[in-house]
Amino acid sequence: MRALDRLVASSYGLNIADQIALVAVPIVAATVFGASASTIGLLVACQSMAHLVGSLPFGVLVDRTEPRSAILASALLSLGGFAAAALAIGAGAILPFAGAIALAGLGIVLYGLASLSMLPRIVAQADLARANAAISLPRSVASLAVPLALGLMLDVTGAAAVFWAAAACALAALMLTAPLPKSVSRPQQREALIRRLAKGAGFVLRHPMLLPITFCAVFWNFAFAMLVVLAVPVITQDHGGEATLFAGAMAAFGLASVAGTYVAGRIAGRIAPRLVLMFGPGSSVVAAAMLLALPQGNPGPLLMAAFFVLGFGPSMWLVTQNTVRQLVTPAQMLGRVNAVIQTAIYGTRPLGALAGGAIATAVTPQAGLAVVAALFALSFAVVLASRLTTVADYGALAIAQESV
C-alpha cells in the first residue's frame, strides 16, 4: 500500500472509533448510568477536553519528532482508552468511564495533528487539496455509518460491546500505520516549550487568514457542542419525539459530510476556495433556522434535513481550510500552528457542552437552540469580514508562503 493509502485506511479506523464515542456517550450516559442533562454535558466535556489538554503539547511533540512515531502513539492511546471504557461500563463505574473517554480522546487529538503534518511530506503540493479530502472522508463516512450501526448494536449486543468495537478499530489503525515510512528528521533548535508554543500562537494571531479561520471555527464548534447536548432534550421534551431520532439526525449529518467531503475533493482547483469558505458557515445559519422551526409531535423530517444541511457545507469548509492552513504555514511550524488552531477549535467543545447542559437545566432546551443559532451566525460573520473572501486559488497561497 502507498503511504497515503495507509494513512487514509488508518483514518477510517480511528475516526470510526471516535464517532462511536461521540454518538454513544450521550446515549450510554442516559440509558446505562441514568445521567441527567447536566451530567451528559459533563461526560461530553470529558470526551472533548482532550483537545484542550493535549493539542498544544502534542503540537510541539509533532514538530520535534517524526510523524510516524506520533501516529503509532496515537493509536495506542485510543486503543487503551476505548478498552477501558468498555470495562468501566461493565463495572457500572461512571468516573472511570469518563477518564477512559478522555484518554481515547487524547489519542484522536494526537492522530489528527500528526496526520496533518505528515500529509504534505507524502504527496505533491498540487495534490494536497485532494489528499486532504481523502483523509477527511473517513470522518464523514464514520459520521454516517456509525449512528446507523449503533442503533442495532445498542439493542442487540449492549453498550460495552460498542466500545470493544471502538477498541478493535483503534487496533486496526495501529496495524495499518506500523509500516508507514519514517520521515527525515529536521534539525531542531532547542527551545523551551512555552517559547515554541508562543511562536506558533503568534503566527496564527498575526496571519490574516489563520486568525479568521480560528474564530469562525471557535464559534461553530461551541455551537455544535451545545447542539449535541441539547438535541435529545429538545426532541423529547419540547417536541414530543423519541430519543432515538438523535441517532437518525447524526446519520443524516454523516451522509451530508460524506457528500460534502467528496464534492470538496472533486471541485478542488475548479472553484475559488473563497466560495467554499463562505458557504460552510453560511449554510449552518440556514440549518439553525430549520432547527428553531421544528414542529410539535413530528420533528423527525425537518430535524433530519437540518442536520443534513449542517453536515454538507461545513465538511467542505473543513477540507478547504485544512489546505489553506498547510499552504500558508512553514513546514517547521505546522505542528504547533495546527495545535494552536485545534486547541481553539475543539477546546471550546467542553465549554459548549457545559453551556448546553446548563442552559437546558436553568431555562429550556429551546432557549439553548436560540444561542446555537446566534453562534452559527457569528461564525459566518467572521468569514464575511475577513480576507478569506479573497482566496481565489491555492497556487497564490503557496507562492505567498514561499516568499515569506
Side-chain angles (χ1 to χ4, degrees), residues 1 6 13 43 46 55 75 120 139 148 173 181 192 194 232 248 251 292 295 303 319 324 362 364 369 380:
M1 295 175 69
R6 286 193 174 276
L43 286 173
C46 286
S55 289
R139 181 186 299 109
L148 296 175
I194 297 300
V232 172
L292 289 173
L303 178 74
V319 172
V324 171
T364 64
L369 271 188
F380 186 34

Side-chain angles (χ1 to χ4, degrees), residues 55-227:
S55 289
L56 293 178
F58 284 164
V60 173
L61 177 67
V62 168
D63 277 345
R64 297 184 66 173
T65 62
E66 58 95 17
R68 175 182 172 273
S69 297
I71 288 174
L72 289 174
S74 72
L76 282 170
L77 282 173
S78 295
L79 174 59
F82 288 123
L87 292 172
I89 291 172
I94 191 169
L95 289 179
F97 177 74
I101 289 300
L103 179 64
L106 286 172
I108 301 299
V109 172
L110 180 56
Y111 178 84
L113 293 172
S115 60
L116 280 175
S117 291
M118 175 173 264
L119 203 57
R121 305 183 189 192
I122 62 175
V123 299
Q125 190 178 85
D127 298 325
L128 192 55
R130 284 186 291 273
N132 273 309
I135 204 170
S136 296
L137 187 60
R139 181 186 299 109
S140 301
V141 170
S143 298
L144 169 62
V146 168
L148 296 175
L150 280 184
L152 297 174
M153 291 183 68
L154 286 172
D155 289 338
V156 175
T157 62
V162 167
F163 284 90
W164 283 121
C169 290
L171 178 61
L174 177 63
M175 296 172 64
L176 283 163
T177 53
L180 281 172
K182 291 185 177 181
S183 303
V184 177
S185 298
R186 298 184 299 270
Q188 293 287 332
Q189 182 182 357
R190 298 189 65 84
E191 289 182 294
L193 175 65
I194 297 300
R195 183 174 177 82
R196 292 178 66 83
L197 288 175
K199 285 185 177 180
F203 187 82
V204 172
L205 291 173
R206 291 190 302 269
H207 202 281
M209 293 179 189
L210 295 180
L211 186 61
I213 282 175
T214 302
F215 276 106
C216 172
V218 163
F219 291 130
W220 194 96
N221 279 274
F222 195 102
F224 185 76
M226 287 186 64
L227 181 58

Side-chain angles (χ1 to χ4, degrees), residues 282-308:
S283 63
S284 299
V285 176
V286 175
M290 296 167 71
L291 289 170
L292 289 173
L294 291 177
Q296 183 68 29
N298 186 29
L302 189 57
L303 178 74
M304 305 300 172
F307 270 76
F308 186 90

Side-chain angles (χ1 to χ4, degrees), residues 278-360:
M278 289 186 286
F279 175 66
S283 63
S284 299
V285 176
V286 175
M290 296 167 71
L291 289 170
L292 289 173
L294 291 177
Q296 183 68 29
N298 186 29
L302 189 57
L303 178 74
M304 305 300 172
F307 270 76
F308 186 90
V309 173
L310 192 60
F312 186 78
S315 65
M316 295 180 66
W317 185 89
L318 179 64
V319 172
T320 304
Q321 65 89 20
N322 274 342
T323 306
V324 171
R325 269 199 261 172
Q326 290 162 332
L327 289 175
V328 303
T329 304
Q332 68 273 17
M333 295 184 67
L334 194 53
R336 282 167 288 165
V337 166
N338 283 332
V340 169
I341 295 176
Q342 295 291 83
T343 300
I345 291 175
Y346 294 105
T348 61
R349 287 195 174 186
L351 301 178
L354 292 172
I359 294 173

Side-chain angles (χ1 to χ4, degrees), residues 39-55:
T39 303
I40 293 173
L42 285 171
L43 286 173
V44 174
C46 286
Q47 183 182 1
S48 52
M49 187 68 73
H51 290 275
L52 190 60
V53 173
S55 289

Side-chain angles (χ1 to χ4, degrees), residues 238-301:
D238 293 345
H239 298 287
E242 296 292 332
T244 52
L245 283 176
F246 175 65
M250 291 299 290
F253 178 89
L255 177 62
S257 296
V258 172
T261 303
Y262 175 78
V263 170
R266 298 288 292 178
I267 66 173
R270 302 181 185 179
I271 186 172
R274 64 189 176 199
L275 298 178
V276 180
L277 292 169
M278 289 186 286
F279 175 66
S283 63
S284 299
V285 176
V286 175
M290 296 167 71
L291 289 170
L292 289 173
L294 291 177
Q296 183 68 29
N298 186 29

